[in-house]
Amino acid sequence: MLEIGNIELDVPVMQAPLSGYTDAAMRVVAKEHGAPLTFTGVMLDKTLLCEKAVRKGIFHPAKGENPVGGQVLGRDPVKMAKAAAVFERLGYDMIDLNIACPAPKVLRRGRGGALLGEPERVIEIWRRVREAVSFPVTMKLRIGVGSDDGTEDNFWRICETVCDEGIDAVMVHGRTVKKKYKGKADWDIISEVKRRFPETNVIGSGDIFTAEDAVERLRTENVDGVLVARGAIGNPWIFDEIRALLAGEEKPGNPVLKEQGRVILRHFGMVSSLREKLKGVRYFRKFAAGYCKRHPERKKAMLGIMGAKSRDEVIAQIEKWYGVNAEAILAELEQDRAA
């Protein structure tokens, strides 16, 4: 059990916010496979402050997917607070402040991980957001900008302030911003955060690619929970597997091909409803690579699905490689939406 503000999770595992991946389709599929909490991909504060933009369905939680968190990116404390309030108005259950993103275009604008060089601004963002919303507030951090530039001290200063002032959780990725995803995540520092601030929920992030990785970190590190990020792309079964291992059960076997195909089709069907046809086809390719890892003819199945150039071709390739009845599965998806 993990409590983040008023949100109770029956297992201390959640799907991480992933820019360009964790839309409503990926979140719903993860929820169907046991993820107790999911997050949007990161959203810019200025986008959330555009009324025309937030009227689009892609910005709203899907029916039945709560609890779900939003993640916001920006550098202006006032705009960040207003954007967090928009997330609350749209029906999200919590807000995560992104002080971690290592993408170059984000850093050039002084957002995300670049803010670790401006601890006073980060603290002001936290305070403004806390005043603006009534739901839980968390913060995603990396452990510094670089290894020897003094920003690790900023990291600890931010942690000390927000933990002392009652943040609902800090989510710590155990790499510096400059490392991006290279090397190994430093879980010793993540554990040290919990040692220094025992009253605060500390959620660890980094290198959770299998159910065994998640369970090992929960059992051996001093953390309250873990985030599953890249390990969940095209792999929603990881949450079923984590639940089984935490319950002391054997890890479930690989889903049979027809079950894999059913999940892939449901995911693609939801993507198609959120995006224009061709955009949805192109967008889904990055998920197909992950899904096909479980197929006995992985490369052929992946090339078939990723080579499809229309919605009908994608469906036909999934039928071919997974032996499923697409019409029945997509009709079931439509019934679920209408229920």
Side-chain angles (χ1 to χ4, degrees):
M1 176 73 75
L2 173 61
E3 294 184 4
I4 301 176
N6 61 348
I7 299 172
E8 294 185 358
L9 308 181
D10 62 337
V11 290
V13 178
M14 57 206 77
Q15 180 181 271
L18 282 170
S19 181
Y21 288 91
T22 49
D23 62 1
M26 182 174 174
R27 298 194 307 263
V28 168
V29 173
K31 184 78 68 175
E32 291 174 344
H33 288 272
L37 175 66
T38 62
F39 288 87
T40 66
V42 64
M43 294 190 191
L44 275 175
D45 53 2
K46 67 178 184 179
T47 302
L48 287 157
L49 298 180
C50 175
E51 283 296 325
K52 183 178 179 181
V54 298
R55 283 197 295 267
K56 297 178 181 178
I58 199 167
F59 288 101
H60 295 241
K63 182 166 53 177
E65 74 161 312
N66 300 79
V68 56
Q71 191 188 65
V72 63
L73 177 76
R75 63 178 278 108
D76 182 284
V78 174
K79 289 181 180 178
M80 288 283 277
K82 290 179 178 179
V86 171
F87 266 121
E88 187 168 28
R89 174 168 60 83
L90 292 175
Y92 290 89
D93 300 286
M94 61 183 291
I95 186 70
D96 183 57
L97 309 177
N98 186 313
I99 315 296
C101 182
K105 66 179 180 181
V106 170
L107 301 178
R108 284 195 297 270
R109 292 170 172 81
R111 301 167 178 152
L115 286 169
L116 287 163
E118 300 181 70
E120 291 300 332
R121 182 179 290 271
V122 174
I123 291 166
E124 180 66 13
I125 288 171
W126 143 250
R127 290 172 176 166
R128 292 274 190 162
V129 171
R130 178 68 285 170
E131 291 171 357
V133 299
S134 62
F135 62 5
V137 180
T138 64
M139 184 180 289
K140 180 75 180 291
L141 293 155
R142 284 186 174 237
I143 59 177
V145 176
S147 299
D148 302 305
D149 58 3
T151 54
E152 184 176 330
D153 292 339
N154 294 346
F155 164 77
W156 288 113
R157 183 180 176 192
I158 293 165
C159 286
E160 181 177 13
T161 301
V162 300
C163 291
D164 286 350
E165 294 182 4
I167 199 164
D168 293 289
V170 287
M171 303 185 181
V172 182
H173 183 103
R175 289 183 176 87
T176 63
V177 174
K178 288 183 177 179
K179 275 194 172 182
K180 296 184 179 179
Y181 299 99
K182 297 175 183 176
K184 296 285 187 182
D186 187 341
W187 281 79
D188 290 340
I189 290 183
I190 300 172
S191 293
E192 177 65 12
V193 176
K194 183 63 181 179
R195 191 190 69 77
R196 294 193 191 187
F197 311 107
E199 301 303 315
T200 301
N201 286 320
V202 176
I203 314 300
S205 173
D207 303 335
I208 304 294
F209 293 109
T210 67
E212 290 85 355
D213 292 336
V215 173
E216 179 183 4
R217 293 305 184 186
L218 287 169
R219 290 179 176 166
T220 62
E221 306 292 345
N222 187 24
V223 294
D224 297 290
V226 296
L227 285 165
V228 183
R230 291 172 290 165
I233 297 171
N235 184 28
W237 298 282
I238 193 171
F239 297 106
D240 293 317
E241 294 167 352
I242 293 170
R243 282 182 173 275
L245 293 179
L246 288 176
E249 302 168 0
E250 287 188 11
K251 180 178 172 180
N254 216 25
V256 298
L257 279 183
K258 284 193 174 182
E259 174 58 16
Q260 292 180 42
R262 185 189 71 83
V263 173
I264 296 169
L265 263 175
R266 281 182 65 85
H267 191 163
F268 179 64
M270 286 185 274
V271 165
S272 297
S273 72
L274 293 169
R275 289 172 168 78
E276 295 174 15
K277 290 182 178 179
L278 289 179
K279 287 184 179 179
V281 168
R282 291 192 292 266
Y283 175 80
F284 191 71
R285 288 171 184 159
K286 56 190 173 184
F287 296 99
Y291 277 122
C292 290
K293 288 179 181 179
R294 292 179 182 255
H295 196 286
E297 296 185 78
R298 179 190 65 82
K299 188 172 183 180
K300 290 181 180 179
M302 182 178 68
L303 290 175
I305 296 171
M306 293 180 70
K309 294 180 172 56
S310 69
R311 180 179 183 274
D312 288 344
E313 285 183 24
V314 173
I315 292 171
Q317 286 294 320
I318 296 170
E319 285 186 310
K320 173 183 176 180
W321 290 105
Y322 290 90
V324 292
N325 182 335
E327 184 178 356
I329 292 168
L330 295 175
E332 179 187 33
L333 178 61
E334 288 301 319
Q335 290 174 359
D336 291 346
R337 287 202 196 103

